[in-house]
Amino acid sequence: MTEPVRILVVGGGYVGMYTALRLQRQLKAELRSGAVEITVVAPEPYMTYQPFLPEAAAGNISPRHVVVPLRRVLGQCRIVIGEADRIHHARRTATVTTLASPEDGTGAIRLTYDELVLAPGSVSRTLPVPGLADYAIGFKTVEEAIGLRNHVIEQMDIASSTRDPAIRDAALTFVFVGGGYAGVEALAELEDMARYTARYYHNIRPEDLKWILVEASDRILPEVGEEMGRYAIRELRARNIDVRLETRLDSCENRVAVLSDGARFPTRTVVWTAGVKPAPVLAATDLPLTERGRIECTADLRVAGTEHAWAAGDAAAVPDLTSDEKGKECAPNAQHAVRQAKVLAGNIAAAVRGGGFEEYRHKYVGSVASLGLHKGVAHVYGRRLKGYPAWFMHRAYHLSRVPTFNRKARVLAEWTLAGLFKREIVSLGSLEHPRAEFEIAAGGVPPAKGPAPDDD
């Protein structure tokens, strides 16, 4: 009996999920007959549609509708939830630590393959800023987005309850570091949400909240162009958001954000969105990497100088064939990742069946960004839009791109209902510690409390 062709997909994000999904369709007969096996290794059992994270944080979309369960959409694939620790392509093996590894004591498992697809994506790129690891939060996962929403509302509860003006001021100060999509959209949506929420507090006005955006370069949202970037700055500043360009976060120790321009802000909220870097597993492979740590690829998405290895997305340095600039690579964004997955799946199917490979070629058509409810900027096909038209285009574009009809319908239904009813302003911070109340009831130590109030 002929051994099946084993395809290993490392990563369950845009590229990983979309590639496996298309392979299911293109290799349907081979999968049914057992001639091909597809294994997907991912750290989470779902794919997160990251452009919807700001709306999830603002409460416009339910968190469960921002993610796509891998087992549901990849029914013909074997799903392994775990982290790929090392890949030895010369031996066609990958070492994976699964959720069961610490429990059963057997350690990591070893998977063998014939064709490798590397799509682990990226992780937050941090800098050695004092206090960053202790006090800051990122904005790349749905857990971080919902945790940040709960945190913001919780800080408003603290500010409303405290009698200490210093604690109140720190609770109502929110510092976002990074002026790209993630930072600007997260800040804009959360500021919109918090401003609305303030109407339900008897002693907090919208102008009491202090929002600060820190960006090291001289512009924000470079993807939408310089003119739209300037408009975005004017729009944010008109909402009393302090936008600081050519400024860095020097420290956030002891809950004080110290900026390179000398400003100091006592704050209980620092959100770090200052860029990404390739996933650590890339450094634990025997595949060629660029100076920036990405997998070196050819235009047909094969790993350069390597047989039976493929890569795309944030982890891959793919030549941009539409650019006149020599040596330019495709930007690590969702627009390229989704389109690369289509070409990648077709080329892998051709490798299995025998056939020619297609080169990836996509001219960047522009970008859209939300600045809160009914506000946005866009630069698409040379046309510049702002305000409501840009916001509407932002929603329409991402609704068309979110995977599966099921998710499209649910997101559209939530948007429709949100237009008919008031915003949700509930903080479910206790979800992060679900056993806390039971532990106290069972005789555990209650949380530390402040001094008792005076009896006057």
Side-chain angles (χ1 to χ4, degrees):
M1 181 176 176
T2 306
E3 288 290 321
V5 177
R6 298 160 300 179
I7 301 173
L8 176 63
V9 181
V10 177
Y14 292 112
V15 175
M17 193 206 74
Y18 276 110
T19 299
L21 185 62
R22 289 184 177 276
L23 284 173
Q24 277 189 165
R25 297 169 182 167
Q26 296 183 23
L27 298 176
K28 185 181 297 184
E30 288 85 348
L31 285 166
R32 189 181 299 116
S33 67
V36 169
E37 295 178 353
I38 303 174
T39 299
V40 178
V41 175
E44 303 291 348
Y46 52 78
M47 184 273 262
T48 302
Y49 190 72
Q50 291 184 344
F52 278 161
L53 288 183
E55 293 220 42
N60 299 332
I61 302 177
S62 171
R64 66 184 184 277
H65 298 156
V66 178
V67 298
V68 180
L70 296 179
R71 298 187 191 278
R72 175 179 291 179
V73 299
L74 302 179
Q76 303 302 312
C77 301
R78 176 193 177 195
I79 308 297
V80 177
I81 304 305
E83 294 279 357
D85 301 320
R86 181 169 181 79
I87 296 172
H88 201 304
H89 187 65
R91 299 176 185 170
R92 304 291 194 273
T93 62
T95 304
V96 178
T97 300
T98 69
L99 293 178
S101 297
E103 300 289 338
D104 58 22
T106 58
I109 64 174
R110 180 170 294 180
L111 301 177
T112 57
Y113 60 84
D114 299 298
E115 300 285 342
L116 172 68
V117 180
L118 262 179
S122 57
V123 297
S124 295
R125 176 176 58 85
T126 59
L127 298 175
V129 176
L132 190 68
D134 298 320
Y135 299 109
I137 183 174
F139 200 79
K140 275 189 65 65
T141 68
V142 67
E143 293 86 358
E144 288 173 329
I146 303 310
L148 183 56
R149 168 188 169 81
N150 292 334
H151 174 80
V152 168
I153 297 177
E154 184 179 88
Q155 296 311 302
M156 296 178 71
D157 289 335
I158 292 172
S160 176
S161 304
T162 185
R163 291 173 292 179
D164 187 328
I167 293 177
R168 174 186 168 90
D169 184 60
L172 296 180
T173 300
F174 308 95
V175 179
F176 285 68
V177 184
Y181 278 127
V184 173
E185 290 191 338
L187 182 151
E189 291 284 359
L190 283 165
E191 188 274 338
D192 219 9
M193 181 271 294
R195 183 162 25 87
Y196 175 88
T197 304
R199 69 179 65 181
Y200 296 99
Y201 289 82
H202 71 281
N203 58 350
I204 296 180
R205 299 171 301 169
E207 52 268 31
D208 293 337
L209 283 75
K210 187 183 299 181
W211 299 84
I212 301 146
L213 177 63
V214 179
E215 168 54 39
S217 69
D218 60 352
R219 58 196 292 194
I220 66 171
L221 296 175
E223 297 87 353
V224 299
E226 188 173 352
E227 181 181 336
M228 289 295 95
R230 289 197 299 267
Y231 167 80
I233 291 175
R234 292 196 302 271
E235 166 68 24
L236 294 176
R237 285 175 173 167
R239 289 157 59 178
N240 204 31
I241 296 172
D242 185 356
V243 181
R244 296 185 176 233
L245 303 178
E246 300 183 88
T247 307
R248 299 179 308 279
L249 176 69
D250 285 346
S251 170
C252 57
E253 283 186 306
N254 302 317
R255 290 184 167 177
V256 177
V258 180
L259 307 185
S260 60
D261 60 4
R264 297 171 59 90
F265 297 100
T267 178
R268 302 165 66 94
T269 310
V270 174
V271 183
W272 182 268
T273 63
V276 296
K277 63 181 180 181
V281 67
L282 300 188
T285 71
D286 53 353
L287 300 172
L289 304 181
T290 65
E291 292 181 356
R292 296 185 177 182
R294 300 167 75 190
I295 295 287
E296 189 176 341
C297 291
T298 58
D300 56 12
L301 305 179
R302 286 182 293 179
V303 177
T306 308
E307 295 293 327
H308 308 292
W310 312 77
D314 291 0
V318 179
D320 187 353
L321 299 183
T322 66
S323 175
D324 296 329
E325 184 180 337
K326 185 178 180 181
K328 186 176 181 182
E329 301 168 356
C330 294
N333 58 37
Q335 187 176 140
H336 282 300
V338 173
R339 289 172 171 83
Q340 285 173 0
K342 180 179 180 181
V343 175
L344 180 57
N347 287 348
I348 295 172
V352 171
R353 293 172 172 169
F357 300 144
E358 177 187 353
E359 291 186 334
Y360 175 73
R361 185 187 301 268
H362 171 69
K363 189 171 180 61
Y364 192 65
V365 298
S367 298
V368 291
S370 170
L371 299 177
L373 192 63
H374 300 160
K375 298 175 282 290
V377 290
H379 187 189
V380 182
Y381 292 112
R383 298 192 63 182
R384 299 177 178 86
L385 298 173
K386 56 188 178 183
Y388 185 89
W391 172 83
F392 183 83
M393 179 176 285
H394 174 271
R395 281 200 163 183
Y397 173 78
H398 286 300
L399 183 64
S400 71
R401 294 299 172 184
V402 69
T404 76
F405 176 78
N406 180 303
R407 284 296 175 273
K408 286 178 170 60
R410 290 176 183 272
V411 168
L412 183 59
E414 285 199 303
W415 282 342
T416 302
L417 291 174
L420 299 176
F421 301 100
K422 295 180 179 180
R423 281 180 183 258
E424 291 291 348
I425 61 168
V426 177
S427 167
L428 297 176
S430 58
L431 288 176
E432 298 167 29
H433 307 284
R435 294 187 64 249
E437 184 175 347
F438 182 79
E439 286 178 348
I440 296 172
V445 180
K449 297 181 179 179
D454 296 332
D455 292 332
D456 53 16

